[in-house]
Structure formats: structure tokens, C-alpha cells
Amino acid sequence: WGFPKGHQDPGEIPFETAQREVFEETGVVIESVVPDLVFSETYTFSREGSSEYHKSVHYFLAVIPHQLHAEAHNEVRDVVWLPYEKALKKLTYKEAQTVLNSVHEWLLKHR
């Protein structure tokens, strides 16, 4: 389990990429993001015996309409909305858990 993410298309700014990827993967429309606030994760992986890849992913804190319905589209198997504690336990990778912790801490300070 993890957060929606994907590659930037030519000519897109990072917010547009986030907006498109979230919609493509969940059907959720992002109205806006908190300006100048980015949460990141970095990890290394390898594919079928090839060399290691180093990947950095940047996440934005998004504002969505009161539409809380989301459903899996094309690239994902399932989508769920969870409260912080349950989401933290559900996330598969430590890096994603670290991102969620950082977002949670930021939200507590900026309520």
C-alpha cells in the first residue's frame, strides 16, 4: 500500500502531474495544494537483475472537494480512505510511513 504517484509528462509542472496521477489512479479531483509545501521519500530498488535505481518522489498536501468517494482505476488494485493511525499501519513501505508521519506532524502544527 502506498500513495498515488507517477512520472511527469512533458510540459507539466509538478502540481499538474500530481493532479493528473491522483485522478488517473483514484478518480479524485484535486482542487489545489498547499503552496510551497512538499513531502518527499527516496528509495532504491532493482528490477529483474538490473542495476539499482534511485528514486525520489515528491508529494503535495492537497485540497479536494467534499467528494470522499474514490475507486481504483487502471494502475491500482484498491483505494481506501483511512484515519491516520490505520493508514500508518496499512502502508507497506517505511518511506511512505515517514511521509505520512511528516504530514501528520505538519497538520497538527498548522490547524
Side-chain angles (χ1 to χ4, degrees), residues 41-47 51-56 95:
E41 69 178 14
T42 302
Y43 56 92
T44 303
F45 67 96
S46 56
R47 272 192 206 149
S51 60
E52 286 190 341
Y53 296 92
H54 300 281
K55 186 167 185 174
S56 292
E95 295 84 3

Side-chain angles (χ1 to χ4, degrees), residues 79-104:
V79 175
V80 295
W81 290 104
L82 297 171
Y84 166 70
E85 293 83 8
K86 287 184 179 181
L88 192 60
K89 290 177 184 175
K90 188 92 163 165
L91 288 167
T92 303
Y93 301 102
K94 183 179 183 340
E95 295 84 3
Q97 293 169 340
T98 300
V99 168
L100 181 59
N101 281 326
S102 296
V103 170
H104 182 70

